[in-house]
Amino acid sequence: MEIFVCDNYEEMSFKVAREISRQLTVKPTSVLGLATGETPKGMYRKLVKMYKQKIVDFSEAKTFNLDEFYPIKRDNKHSFKNYMQKRLFEEVNLRPKNCFIPDGEAENPNKECQRYEKELSHSGQIDLQVLGIGENGHIGFNEPGVEWSSVTQLVELEDKTVKKEFNTTSGVPNKAITMGVKDIMGANRIVLLASGEGKKNVVERALKGPITQEVPASILQLHPKVKVYLDKEAA
Ligand code: PGA
């Protein structure tokens, strides 16, 4: 595992965007695993800028997002579909048919998990997986206690996770469809990014503590190719 401490959020965002851009230069048909949340917003801004400067080309790439709330309308302002449309998909030359994200409107969530898992395996290995980390150590929406062998599944979210997105736990989704730990660990390379004082404690537990299901991100210690980008506060 390589750990890079960046001076600030902007530098961290740039370096992770550069990882993605290099990946696409070396292999234009790359399969990218993508994350949502506060942390990667800067990374997406940099990627869009790089695209407009013709530094990066997404025309042959495929993307798989880690997770989506369930149930949620695709056009809900909290949906990850909406997040991705606005921050990346509508801004660069990714082909819509190559952008995969679990469907929060699917009638049968378990069938949707199976469908997503199938799409994932048909696409071959994820070349580069981008990850954030939750304050409870989750990766994707794999909350503490998750099975290491998990694949895409419907999960119940911790109240804190729900509150972070919706500021409440009532009348909002408390479940999500998420790629499993096994899917994430199957990626050829992983970049994890974390920013801010609030992540310092969990970053330390995940990277230096025991490998435990109570801190799902700690499993990354066993992956052969992980780069961690932190700003000073998270480090
Ligand atoms: P955040 O979320 O970037 O909004 O802090 C990270 C995560 O929950 O994976």
Side-chain angles (χ1 to χ4, degrees), residues 4-15:
F4 302 91
V5 180
C6 306
D7 277 342
N8 51 45
Y9 178 77
E10 286 303 305
E11 188 191 328
M12 180 200 75
S13 302
F14 170 72
K15 289 193 166 158

Side-chain angles (χ1 to χ4, degrees), residues 83-150:
Y83 174 115
M84 290 305 300
Q85 287 292 127
K86 283 213 285 250
R87 290 175 201 284
L88 189 71
F89 299 162
E90 288 170 4
E91 298 294 327
V92 302
N93 63 341
L94 272 163
R95 295 184 190 182
K97 71 173 176 62
N98 288 339
C99 301
F100 296 85
I101 184 159
D103 183 7
E105 291 188 28
E107 226 166 87
N108 181 328
N110 294 317
K111 271 197 187 147
E112 174 59 11
C113 293
Q114 285 167 11
R115 182 195 70 82
Y116 201 68
E117 190 62 30
K118 221 179 195 174
E119 297 281 14
L120 202 52
S121 54
H122 280 168
S123 293
Q125 191 182 28
I126 291 177
D127 293 286
L128 178 61
Q129 174 68 57
V130 178
L131 291 179
I133 179 170
E135 283 181 26
N136 62 2
H138 71 206
I139 43 176
F141 271 141
N142 294 290
E143 300 279 49
V146 66
E147 292 290 329
W148 295 141
S149 59
S150 62

Side-chain angles (χ1 to χ4, degrees), residues 4-5 42 47 51 54 63 117 152 156 163 189 213 220 225:
F4 302 91
V5 180
L47 274 177
Y51 169 71
K54 302 198 188 313
T63 65
E117 190 62 30
T152 306
E156 199 140 321
K163 256 197 194 143
R189 290 200 300 135
Q213 283 157 278
L220 299 174
K225 289 188 203 161

Side-chain angles (χ1 to χ4, degrees), residues 36-40 132-134 138 140 164 199:
T36 49
E38 280 303 311
T39 318
I133 179 170
H138 71 206
K164 183 169 175 292
K199 296 285 170 73

Side-chain angles (χ1 to χ4, degrees), residues 8-230:
N8 51 45
Y9 178 77
E10 286 303 305
E11 188 191 328
M12 180 200 75
S13 302
F14 170 72
K15 289 193 166 158
V16 181
R18 196 175 55 184
E19 285 284 347
I20 295 176
S21 150
R22 284 183 179 158
Q23 174 66 41
L24 289 172
T25 303
V26 173
K27 184 179 173 191
T29 58
S30 289
V31 180
L32 304 173
L34 296 179
T36 49
E38 280 303 311
T39 318
K41 285 181 177 172
M43 173 197 85
Y44 289 122
R45 279 195 296 271
K46 306 275 181 208
L47 274 177
V48 170
K49 199 165 159 201
M50 287 173 173
Y51 169 71
K52 290 191 171 149
Q53 294 169 335
K54 302 198 188 313
I55 294 170
V56 60
D57 173 23
F58 292 88
S59 59
E60 294 178 70
K62 266 191 185 175
T63 65
F64 279 86
N65 267 84
L66 282 165
D67 45 21
E68 177 63 287
F69 292 106
Y70 188 85
I72 196 162
K73 295 273 182 213
R74 293 176 206 119
D75 61 3
N76 184 305
K77 69 173 190 227
H78 295 283
S79 87
F80 291 158
K81 168 81 179 177
N82 193 17
Y83 174 115
M84 290 305 300
Q85 287 292 127
K86 283 213 285 250
R87 290 175 201 284
L88 189 71
F89 299 162
E90 288 170 4
E91 298 294 327
V92 302
N93 63 341
L94 272 163
R95 295 184 190 182
K97 71 173 176 62
N98 288 339
C99 301
F100 296 85
I101 184 159
D103 183 7
E105 291 188 28
E107 226 166 87
N108 181 328
N110 294 317
K111 271 197 187 147
E112 174 59 11
C113 293
Q114 285 167 11
R115 182 195 70 82
Y116 201 68
E117 190 62 30
K118 221 179 195 174
E119 297 281 14
L120 202 52
S121 54
H122 280 168
S123 293
Q125 191 182 28
I126 291 177
D127 293 286
L128 178 61
Q129 174 68 57
V130 178
L131 291 179
I133 179 170
E135 283 181 26
N136 62 2
H138 71 206
I139 43 176
F141 271 141
N142 294 290
E143 300 279 49
V146 66
E147 292 290 329
W148 295 141
S149 59
S150 62
V151 294
T152 306
Q153 62 175 342
L154 184 69
V155 294
E156 199 140 321
L157 300 170
E158 290 191 347
D159 283 354
K160 233 176 133 187
T161 302
V162 175
K163 256 197 194 143
K164 183 169 175 292
E165 179 68 30
F166 296 95
N167 285 320
T168 174
T169 52
S170 72
V172 297
N174 68 344
K175 291 193 173 73
I177 294 175
T178 182
M179 269 165 56
V181 174
K182 189 173 165 203
D183 299 317
I184 293 171
M185 289 296 281
N188 181 35
R189 290 200 300 135
I190 295 178
V191 291
L192 175 90
L193 58 165
S195 154
E197 179 94 37
K199 296 285 170 73
K200 194 171 136 184
N201 188 272
V202 74
V203 164
E204 178 156 17
R205 288 167 67 210
L207 307 187
K208 304 266 194 270
I211 298 168
T212 163
Q213 283 157 278
E214 288 318 303
V215 184
S218 64
I219 192 73
L220 299 174
Q221 294 179 36
L222 297 182
H223 192 285
K225 289 188 203 161
V226 180
K227 288 184 180 176
V228 180
Y229 288 92
L230 307 171

